[in-house]
Amino acid sequence: MARTLPAMQPGSAYPLGACYDGAGTNFAVFSAHAVKVELCLFDASGRHEVARYTLPECTNEIWHGYLPNVHPGTLYGYRAYGPYRPEDGHRFNPNKLLLDPYARQLHGAVRWSDALYGYRYNSPQRDLSFDRRDSAPNMPKGVVVDSAFNWHGDAPPSVPWEKTVIYEAHVRGLSMRAPHVAPKERGTFAALANPYLIEHFTRLGITALELLPVHAILQDRRLVNAGLSNYWGYNTLSFFAPEPRYLADGTLNEMRHAIRQLHAAGIEVILDVVYNHTCEESELGPTLSWRGLDNATYYRLHAGNYRHLVNDTGCGNTLALSHPRVIHMVMDSLRYWVQEFHVDGFRFDLGATLGREQHGFDPGAGFFDAMMQDPVLSRVKLISEPWDLGPGGYQVGNHPAGIAEWNDRFRDHVRCFWRGDVAMRGAVAARLLGSADMFNHHRRRAWSSINFVTAHDGFTLNDLVSYSQKYNLANGEDNRDGSNDNKSCNWGVEGPTGDAQVNATRDKIRRAMLMTLMFSNGTPMLLGGDEFGRTQHGNNNAYCQDNELSWFDWSLLETDAGRALFDFTRRCIAARMRHASLRGTRFLTASFRTLQGVPDIGWFDETGHEMTQDRWNFAEGRLLALRRLASERHAGSAGSPGTTGALVSATLLLLNAFSEDREFVLPQPVMAWRTVIDAAEAVGTTAQDFDPSGARQPKRNRIVVAAHSAILLEADHVHAP
């Protein structure tokens, strides 16, 4: 036991965390129910406690003190004293070293031991018992940091929503097998600054890199014992510290440098963040930080049974985002990443949890209100995963204006349409126009719908057309985990095949789905690696696979098929950027007339006639044409869409989900249409640049669309009168 030292100076209650001022460090930590909080300092190895101080002051439930001559690099943790009464929601145990919830950097990792639990792990009384073992040898420690960094004129790219194309990836998965990246930098932020990866992003044309969680992660005991890992990272150990494994040189500036390099290339960085729960699991989980500091405040407890935690997240606990102090912590965390790391936005895991008040989900919840009025956060991109496992947990389209939302109906309807399911024309039509049925309210814009066909959770695009079943045995759960309803199809053979006809069908459908994604109004999100055919061999829940199953196989990009798919995806993104009708912010309606007498949108069948209710209701209809017009000059304007003499973006998207080629008669009025993208044109070719003169072009106002395929047409030199 370290000797007790003289009292600290009082210091300040704000800001929270360990804040170095050049002469010493102020320590401040919240606990409403503790009766005493101690600061513990450790040697450079983190193994030995060298000093212990009682925080001398408590102001507004924040315990604080100041220590001169404590400099960056100092390792520390807390011990909190108070009642151990689980039945009342209190779980204080000063034998457990606690991470500062505001720690900016961590040293070491959790070493699993029964000593990490506040109760005797194998006791018949379970969490009603009390454990007296010191957990410090098994705990990581917080690190005092100096946040100084010269950003050298860095400026956020500030890409408008309507020009945003998101690329979802994992820091490790993206770079562990990347060529031209030094072995020690693979799997880290240093790799994200590598010219090879940045050139790949810029050639592809994406504008935002959305990273799976980079906050410090707890490796679950169950997974560690099974020889697996929490690869995805949805198990947060600290909301302010990056995962130590993602820092090749061990410094925070490595992450800052990577973001600066991405910004220089015009690429925004969006962090996937997990504020709905922590890694401390249920009431039977370990005591690592928040539980030991103030369990009754940080977590939602069952009414009338405070021993048990509410589990709306499926992860054992739910943060009490209706409590002002918890909102305060999350807001401080978000601002920290924007102000200190120049992050451009956030994707909120299980966002419905963040808006759940005592009476249920509320678009006017305190957290949403706090975030939307914040002068820092209201200006960055905010994206919600709008569901959780709690009551009323599906809230797609119900978030406040200004927050975009993952649209799983886009995913499901696009998959079903291209699989050839019946009665899908109306559904896919709604998705193509930004899902106005869900998002066109409260003056929201079409970009509010984050459109995706694949994401980290589920099949890759390659696997979506190659497997009719999941293959998750490697996860150690007897294939019970992961969704059983993938809306996928193997098109005749399960898994890889040498059958040319099957592969040709898969190629066309894969490209048709990419076209549907990129040519729909809303914000497209591409799963990283889909652009060159990445596979997880049928595993649709690779959350615990930190290995070659999840890591990008960049050698695929060197194959003819990989180069061709990359080139096709690149041209789809370029076409989207070129045409305002494919990326307008307003919800297009037939009532607008950008061209005299021609509605801004028109739906047609293969005969060139407008869709009628009977045609929409025809269950076997799998052919559809969508004409869109938009003023290039005012594509993002909420006012009148047309202006005299303005150049007009005119596009015609033709979809054929039938199993045979079909001829389309193009609608009136006749325009000088030409083919931009054809999902069938790249089958069996290499990655040569697309030659419009050699593409299949309309003749006599007709064009054949191949089976399981799509074509995008554009009309040149269209002007509003």
Side-chain angles (χ1 to χ4, degrees), residues 199-516:
E199 182 185 9
H200 178 80
F201 298 147
T202 55
R203 284 183 59 221
L204 184 59
I206 60 103
T207 69
L209 178 62
E210 181 175 305
L211 297 173
L212 268 68
V214 301
H215 290 168
I217 303 161
L218 174 68
Q219 294 297 333
D220 312 46
R221 192 175 195 178
R222 176 185 67 84
L223 293 174
V224 170
N225 291 341
L228 299 169
S229 70
N230 193 309
Y231 167 65
W232 284 350
Y234 293 94
N235 206 29
T236 306
L237 180 62
S238 173
F239 294 123
F240 291 81
E243 168 58 29
R245 293 187 307 155
Y246 300 168
L247 300 173
D249 65 7
T251 71
L252 300 181
N253 286 346
E254 177 184 322
M255 181 176 176
R256 293 184 174 103
H257 174 69
I259 293 174
R260 183 174 61 193
Q261 295 302 103
L262 288 162
H263 282 181
I267 298 169
E268 296 181 314
V269 177
I270 297 172
L271 300 185
D272 192 337
V273 287
V274 187
Y275 296 113
N276 56 81
H277 73 282
T278 78
C279 65
E280 290 186 308
E281 303 174 9
S282 72
E283 59 273 6
L284 299 178
T287 296
L288 307 174
S289 179
W290 308 272
R291 172 168 289 138
L293 283 166
D294 200 334
N295 182 76
T297 295
Y298 279 113
Y299 294 115
R300 291 184 59 210
L301 310 179
H302 278 286
N305 189 359
Y306 297 149
R307 176 185 174 188
H308 299 291
L309 277 65
V310 172
N311 185 21
D312 287 341
T313 65
C315 299
N317 65 67
T318 305
L319 275 175
L321 262 296
S322 58
H323 193 286
R325 282 297 180 191
V326 182
I327 293 178
H328 181 192
M329 176 187 69
V330 174
M331 294 289 291
D332 282 352
S333 171
L334 292 168
R335 279 192 296 266
Y336 174 70
W337 294 107
V338 174
Q339 295 175 319
E340 296 294 333
F341 289 84
H342 291 200
V343 164
D344 304 283
F346 303 95
R347 180 266 189 188
F348 296 95
D349 179 61
L350 301 186
T353 301
L354 309 182
R356 184 174 282 108
E357 300 284 353
Q358 294 300 323
H359 58 277
F361 179 84
D362 185 350
F367 171 70
F368 290 150
D369 287 347
M371 188 165 58
M372 298 311 297
Q373 63 79 43
D374 187 273
V376 173
L377 301 179
S378 61
R379 298 185 181 187
V380 301
K381 289 185 168 69
L382 304 173
I383 303 169
S384 176
E385 180 188 39
W387 49 75
D388 67 9
L389 299 179
Y394 188 77
Q395 295 295 335
V396 177
N398 294 332
H399 281 57
I403 299 179
E405 303 173 43
W406 273 28
N407 187 350
D408 63 329
R409 293 188 191 175
F410 183 96
R411 174 198 65 196
D412 293 349
H413 292 163
V414 170
R415 290 184 180 191
C416 288
F417 178 80
W418 287 113
R419 190 172 61 176
D421 290 10
V422 299
M424 292 306 302
R425 265 201 302 201
V428 82
R431 305 307 144 234
L432 283 164
L433 291 184
S435 298
D437 53 328
M438 293 184 284
F439 294 100
N440 191 11
H441 57 84
H442 292 88
R443 301 284 182 173
R444 299 182 78 176
R445 296 301 186 90
W447 54 255
S448 301
S449 174
I450 303 294
N451 300 330
F452 64 102
V453 178
T454 54
H456 70 273
D457 186 1
F459 281 147
T460 66
L461 184 61
N462 178 81
D463 292 358
L464 186 63
V465 298
S466 303
Y467 296 92
S468 294
Q469 302 176 42
K470 63 183 183 182
Y471 294 88
N472 296 355
L473 286 174
N475 297 351
E477 300 180 47
D478 298 321
N479 212 40
R480 294 188 304 270
D481 63 303
S483 175
N484 293 318
D485 183 17
N486 297 287
K487 298 174 175 58
S488 63
C489 182
N490 63 26
W491 300 101
V493 179
E494 188 75 350
T497 179
D499 188 309
Q501 184 175 352
V502 171
N503 284 329
T505 300
R506 290 175 177 178
D507 285 342
K508 286 187 292 183
I509 294 173
R510 188 163 41 199
R511 288 169 167 81
M513 287 195 285
L514 283 169
M515 289 177 65
T516 310

Side-chain angles (χ1 to χ4, degrees), residues 108-188:
V110 169
R111 296 171 57 245
W112 278 107
S113 163
D114 292 353
L116 291 169
Y117 297 82
Y119 63 96
R120 295 193 303 275
Y121 188 68
N122 293 312
S123 169
Q125 293 181 295
R126 306 189 83 180
D127 60 312
L128 295 179
S129 62
F130 187 81
D131 188 90
R132 299 185 182 279
R133 287 172 291 184
D134 184 8
S135 68
N138 304 95
M139 283 289 295
K141 281 71 183 181
V143 183
V144 177
V145 302
D146 184 351
S147 61
F149 181 74
N150 187 344
W151 282 95
H152 298 297
D154 174 78
S158 299
V159 179
W161 267 111
E162 67 271 18
K163 292 186 177 181
T164 297
V165 178
I166 298 171
Y167 186 93
E168 189 197 33
H170 188 287
V171 172
R172 283 179 63 78
L174 179 67
S175 61
M176 283 298 290
R177 302 175 69 184
H180 311 296
V181 175
K184 68 169 290 186
E185 294 183 346
R186 291 177 180 171
T188 70

Side-chain angles (χ1 to χ4, degrees), residues 634-691:
H634 292 283
S637 171
S640 175
T643 56
T644 300
L647 183 66
V648 173
S649 167
T651 57
L652 183 61
L653 181 63
L654 310 176
L655 310 179
N656 177 11
F658 270 120
S659 56
E660 62 263 359
D661 298 355
R662 288 298 182 91
E663 183 179 66
F664 277 70
V665 177
L666 306 185
Q668 298 293 322
V670 174
M671 297 184 184
W673 297 111
R674 73 179 186 95
T675 298
V676 182
I677 302 281
D678 184 345
E681 48 90 357
V683 174
T685 68
T686 60
Q688 299 299 318
D689 285 344
F690 177 62
D691 178 10

Side-chain angles (χ1 to χ4, degrees), residues 69-86:
N69 299 316
V70 169
H71 300 290
T74 301
L75 308 186
Y76 73 102
Y78 291 114
R79 299 180 189 272
Y81 294 77
Y84 188 85
R85 293 196 303 270

